[in-house]
Amino acid sequence: MFARLERDFYLRNAVTVARALLGQRLVRVVEGQRLAGLIVETEAYLGAQDAAAHTFRGRRTARNASMWGPGGHAYVYFTYGMHYCLNVVAGAEGVPVAVLVRALEPVEGLDAMYRRRTFAKHDTALCSGPGKLCQALAIDRKLDGTDLVAGQELFIERVRTRALPARLIGVGPRIGVAYAGLWAHKPLRFWLRGHAHVSRRD
DNA sequence: CCCGTGATTTAT
DNA sequence: TAAATCACGGGG
């Protein structure tokens, strides 16, 4: 029904990939069930130059190794002692850039999502944040490095081919990176304007 | 506003 | 070896 995004989609700069991911469908297969959501909010992280990126100044560690690989793989990290966050690696091998997936509109497997998201009372609380969507879709460090083009547990399906009209995309500073000086203010967060499932209202 | 929570990073 | 940090989420 829906074809996956192919390798070439990911082998581009992080801003282009961050914008093009909006409206596409993230799919997680767990215990034989499909859990899926449309991507409605992303952030681009631009590698060695970017003070907010885990690869700032060329840092290369066990944690961020996936960011150094070729585009089209997952980079999943653990933070604040309890949350996971999912990134889509972009660019060529050796170019450590990625796109943080910040929010989804859940569309398949909401029953299973509610079971994992104990506190959620409404659909808008299931996947409206990077930690929330990882909890809802059972994404943790075991999925770090997953090939989104070839793997069977986590992938992205093409919903739209044409670029969205620019007026439908909100653009602004990234969330939670106030420590990053100049880079805290760069317009590297992208979302579907007015969408109920973004992590913060416009 | 505040706090939980622990891996990772940075300072000593 | 020790201390600080953190691309967050939930409660008040």
Side-chain angles (χ1 to χ4, degrees):
Chain A
M1 183 84 173
F2 288 94
R4 286 193 197 189
L5 299 176
E6 71 286 359
R7 185 74 60 198
D8 284 351
F9 176 95
Y10 301 102
L11 301 183
R12 299 182 288 171
N13 73 75
V15 168
T16 299
V17 174
R19 299 183 71 112
L21 280 172
L22 294 174
Q24 312 292 5
R25 179 188 309 242
L26 177 71
V27 182
R28 166 80 167 116
V29 178
V30 54
E31 294 167 2
Q33 184 182 16
R34 273 174 63 105
L35 311 179
L38 303 178
I39 297 172
V40 300
E41 181 182 353
T42 59
E43 285 177 356
Y45 286 82
L46 303 191
Q49 60 177 323
D50 178 358
H54 290 168
T55 49
F56 182 45
R57 290 197 273 243
R59 277 199 302 259
R60 185 169 197 155
T61 65
R63 176 173 74 153
N64 71 19
S66 298
M67 277 187 76
W68 289 88
H73 293 252
Y75 166 46
V76 181
Y77 69 90
F78 182 66
T79 192
Y80 290 105
M82 57 180 92
H83 302 296
Y84 294 94
C85 294
L86 169 68
N87 290 255
V88 172
V89 177
E93 170 144 29
V95 180
V97 302
V99 175
L100 175 66
V101 181
R102 284 198 57 92
L104 308 174
E105 175 189 344
V107 293
E108 293 179 49
L110 276 71
D111 53 336
M113 295 186 197
Y114 271 107
R115 265 181 259 126
R116 290 194 166 84
R117 293 272 308 127
T118 328
F119 295 110
K121 293 191 172 62
H122 307 281
D123 295 359
T124 49
L126 291 175
C127 299
S128 55
K132 294 178 189 178
L133 72 91
C134 283
Q135 187 175 34
L137 301 200
I139 293 168
D140 63 24
R141 267 242 100 178
K142 293 194 292 294
L143 291 175
D144 179 59
T146 298
D147 185 353
L148 302 173
V149 176
Q152 298 301 311
E153 301 186 296
L154 186 66
F155 47 90
I156 304 175
E157 293 174 339
R158 178 183 295 98
V159 175
R160 44 183 321 110
T161 304
R162 315 290 298 183
L164 283 162
R167 63 182 188 81
L168 299 183
I169 301 179
V171 182
R174 294 172 293 183
I175 307 288
V177 298
Y179 61 87
L182 173 69
W183 284 85
H185 311 295
K186 301 248 182 205
L188 293 173
R189 171 175 174 248
F190 307 94
W191 68 92
L192 295 183
R193 288 177 65 190
H195 202 287
H197 294 267
V198 298
S199 66
R200 301 194 177 178
R201 291 309 181 108
D202 304 35

